[in-house]
Structure formats: C-alpha cells, structure tokens
Amino acid sequence: MGNVTFLVKPASGLCDMRCRYCFYEDVSDNRQVKSLGLMRTDTAEALIRAGFSYAGPGGSVHFLFQGGEPTLAGLAFYRDFLSAARAACPAGTDVSFAIQTNGQSLDRDWARSFRENGFLVGLSLDGTRTLHDRFRRDAAGDGTWARTVQALELLTDEGVETNLLCVVTGDAAKAPRQVWQSLRKLGDHPLQFIPCLDPLETPRGSMPWSLTPEAYGGFLKGLFDCWFQELSRGTYVSVRFFDDLLRLMAGMAPGSCAASGRCGGYLAVEADGSLYPCDFYVLDRWRIGSIREMTVSEALNSAVMERFLAEGAQRPAACGGCPYALLCRGGCRRDFTEGPAGRSNYYCPSLLAFFPYVLPRLRAAARSLFG
C-alpha cells in the first residue's frame, strides 16, 4: 500500500497565454529541449499502470494536471486517460483528479466532464482585473480577466469544485484588501496565494513584477486582516497558507511541502514521461528517468531524488534559533538564496514581521476551529 501524487504536464510547457512572469517558461528555457510536446496514449497508460502498481489496494493515486496549459492536450486526451484509469484502478484503491488551468479553453463540455469525473479545478486569477491583465495576457497581447471570469462562472454553473490561485506580484502586494475583496466577490472558493518567482539566473527583485520581502510581508498582514475579519463574522475562508498554519498549531500535518519543511511530496511528470522531484526543478540535471522505464518506487528511491532531498533538507542556519521555526519550517527551497553568510530564505524578513503581527489572532482562530 502506498500513496503517490503525480503533477502531470500533458502539454509540456505549451500555453495559449503569454504571462510575463511565467516560471515554467523560464524553466523550459533552461533545458536542452524546451517543449516535450503532447503526451502520447502509451505514455499516459504507462503512468497509470505505474501509479496503481505502487499504490495497491488501500493506497491512493492523485493525478494533478498542469502545464504550461494542460487543456491544450485536448478533451479527448482526458476522456481516454480517465477511461484507462477507471479500468486499471484496483479495488480498494483511491484515485482522484485535479487540474490547474488558465480557463481560456473551457466550454460547457469541459465543465461537464470535470463535474462528472469529480475533478478539482484550480483557476489562475490574479486578484483584480487591472492586476490580472497587466501580466496575464494572451498571444495577441490582450488581457484575459474577462474570459477567465467567464470560465469560473461556467464551472460554478456546472457545480464543479473550484479554487482560485493568485500570483502575488509586487503590484498585487500593494493592494491586499482590493485583491481580497475582488476575489471574494467571485464566490465562495478556496484561495491560494503564491509569491511570484524571478527567473532562475536573475537576481531577486530585478524584474518588473518582482516581489520584495518587505512588500510580501505587508501583503500577508493585510490579507490576514481581511481573512480574520470574515472569520470573526462567522465565515471561514480557506486560504492555503493560513490553513497550513492552523493545522500546524493544532498538531496536524500541513497540506503543502513548503509548510512541512521538506521536499519530496510528489513526482512531476513531463509529457514524454520524464520524471522530476519537483515542479520548480523540471530541469535536465534533476531528471530522474522515465515512467516508461522505471517504477514509482525506483523513482522515489533514485540517486537523483536522494540528492534533491538532501539539498532541500539543508535549511537556512537562521532557522535554528528562530522562535517561529515550527510554523515557518524554513519555507520552500526555491526561495533559498546563497550569500557570504550561507543559505537564507529570501522571504525570511517578511515572515519575521508577519508572525508576531498575527499570532494572537491565529491562536484564537485555532482554538475556535480545533478546540
């Protein structure tokens, strides 16, 4: 019995949008082969077999499709994938499906298929129309807010479970209350806020969309104020970062690898079946092998995975004496920087300002929710 999560890229880095801050565009630019095309049927079937073989009865397999833009693989691909997965799933094994999409290709057939197959759909929507359209543009250079909101309305109308993902740019960080109010007006959806990434080989803070530690700290404070205000009125809004903090305070396991303080929670699967230890590191040096040629167990216990986990386990030295270490856990290794004083987390100053600001209210929230 085992549990495995696959982050599957059925269309590799292909996308129908041209988001200026796209981290996967940067990742694929740093590979020998930029795009690995569309996933073939035999590769999908090999992935399905490997997942269920590893899980076995009593285990679970979670397929999360992302990109690039995963809908570019086409609805027929997903229908075939789901049919093969249902047929191969052993009795007593749990299987679930999710997708992260920009929503541009969605129509009624897509939405119905998601509902009928129990998909969780993550929709990328950057806070407000102005913020979204500034960086999330289509191939013609036009803003995409209106079409993304239309996709959300379609998903809601079909009864699809949907959450919203907002990338926090430097501009967004200046307006936490406006971002919160705009997203909340779109309905009762779980929310996820992720700090915008700078390119791999670029100094942090040097891009037009860059997020500084000071700005991120201010955003988190303002976001928490909005969240706690709603909680005080009896409405709990799921915000992934706050969910993780509450779970940690209650002695429960967090939902994200960054909050757990360790890497290795899943396998990223490129369109050709190549396996990687992390979605942020789908690079040639971190290629583990192919799902067409190795088992899940072999991938998880490979030398590449061991090296990746060992590097990720090297938390910043400052974490050792930090009073908030049990809540922060050092953060995501993608935010680690190396300097004369050693390894540090780029956003450490923002979190050092955030935790004392929210802790009394966070403790009160944990008591009210978990007793």
Side-chain angles (χ1 to χ4, degrees):
M1 180 181 72
N3 304 299
V4 63
T5 295
F6 295 116
L7 270 59
V8 189
K9 297 180 177 295
S12 191
L14 299 174
C15 192
D16 50 359
M17 286 176 57
R18 300 296 182 269
C19 301
R20 295 183 64 193
Y21 56 59
C22 179
F23 88 87
Y24 206 70
E25 177 77 6
D26 172 55
V27 167
S28 56
D29 278 342
N30 281 276
R31 299 191 305 222
Q32 288 188 358
V33 179
K34 180 178 176 64
S35 174
L36 298 172
L38 299 175
M39 182 172 283
R40 298 182 343 207
T41 299
D42 57 343
T43 302
E45 291 174 346
L47 173 62
I48 291 166
R49 288 195 303 270
F52 288 132
S53 176
Y54 177 79
S60 66
V61 183
H62 182 45
F63 297 101
L64 168 56
F65 300 96
Q66 53 173 223
E69 174 47 43
T71 59
L72 294 185
L75 184 53
F77 167 84
Y78 289 93
R79 286 173 171 159
D80 290 343
F81 191 102
L82 290 162
S83 178
R86 303 290 189 199
C89 184
T93 302
D94 290 331
V95 59
S96 60
F97 305 96
I99 189 169
Q100 184 66 42
T101 176
N102 61 34
Q104 304 305 291
S105 300
L106 300 189
D107 58 17
R108 187 70 63 177
D109 286 342
W110 275 104
R112 286 175 177 164
S113 182
F114 289 149
R115 172 177 52 79
E116 291 168 356
N117 292 284
F119 265 71
L120 169 64
V121 177
L123 192 66
S124 299
L125 199 63
D126 280 1
T128 71
R129 178 190 288 268
T130 299
L131 291 168
H132 182 100
D133 286 347
R134 186 168 300 159
F135 295 115
R136 297 187 63 82
R137 299 179 180 178
D138 62 18
D142 297 325
T144 58
W145 171 270
R147 277 178 287 169
T148 310
V149 170
Q150 288 173 1
L152 177 61
E153 292 170 348
L154 180 63
L155 293 168
T156 301
D157 184 58
E158 283 293 331
V160 178
E161 183 181 0
T162 309
N163 61 37
L164 306 181
L165 185 151
C166 174
V167 175
V168 184
T169 59
D171 289 336
K174 299 173 185 176
R177 184 166 294 275
Q178 291 92 323
V179 166
W180 178 268
Q181 292 173 342
S182 176
L183 293 177
R184 292 291 290 136
K185 286 179 181 177
L186 297 175
D188 292 324
H189 305 285
L191 304 175
Q192 183 178 355
F193 299 90
I194 59 173
C196 193
L197 291 171
D198 290 330
L200 285 166
E201 304 301 326
T202 301
R204 298 300 293 259
S206 62
M207 307 303 294
W209 54 82
S210 290
L211 179 65
T212 65
E214 181 181 15
Y216 188 43
F219 177 81
L220 290 176
K221 289 179 181 179
L223 189 72
F224 187 89
D225 288 341
C226 295
W227 175 84
F228 191 78
Q229 188 175 52
E230 288 215 34
L231 181 64
S232 299
R233 295 198 297 258
T235 300
Y236 182 84
V237 182
S238 173
V239 175
R240 190 179 189 187
F241 179 48
F242 300 160
D243 292 346
D244 280 341
L245 295 178
L246 289 168
R247 291 179 66 86
L248 287 168
M249 294 190 80
M252 303 164 65
S256 67
C257 48
S260 70
R262 62 181 182 83
C263 301
Y266 56 84
L267 286 169
V269 188
E270 255 287 5
D272 67 343
S274 294
L275 299 171
Y276 303 83
C278 175
D279 184 41
F280 290 146
Y281 294 91
V282 183
L283 299 162
D284 295 336
R285 71 180 294 246
W286 292 115
R287 185 180 184 274
I288 295 171
S290 173
I291 198 66
R292 300 163 61 89
E293 301 166 355
M294 66 194 315
T295 67
V296 171
S297 182
E298 288 171 340
L300 293 175
N301 293 286
S302 65
V304 173
M305 179 65 86
E306 289 182 2
R307 178 162 52 91
F308 185 81
L309 295 179
E311 288 190 16
Q314 298 172 20
R315 302 278 105 180
C319 295
C322 179
Y324 311 114
L326 293 179
L327 288 177
C328 174
R329 305 293 181 93
C332 175
R333 67 174 283 175
R334 185 64 166 79
D335 295 323
F336 291 171
T337 59
E338 303 290 344
R343 172 169 288 189
S344 62
N345 186 317
Y346 180 68
Y347 291 115
C348 183
S350 62
L351 296 171
L352 287 174
F354 169 74
F355 283 121
Y357 181 77
V358 304
L359 264 180
R361 288 176 291 169
L362 192 63
R363 291 192 184 101
R367 285 194 299 269
S368 67
L369 294 168
F370 298 110

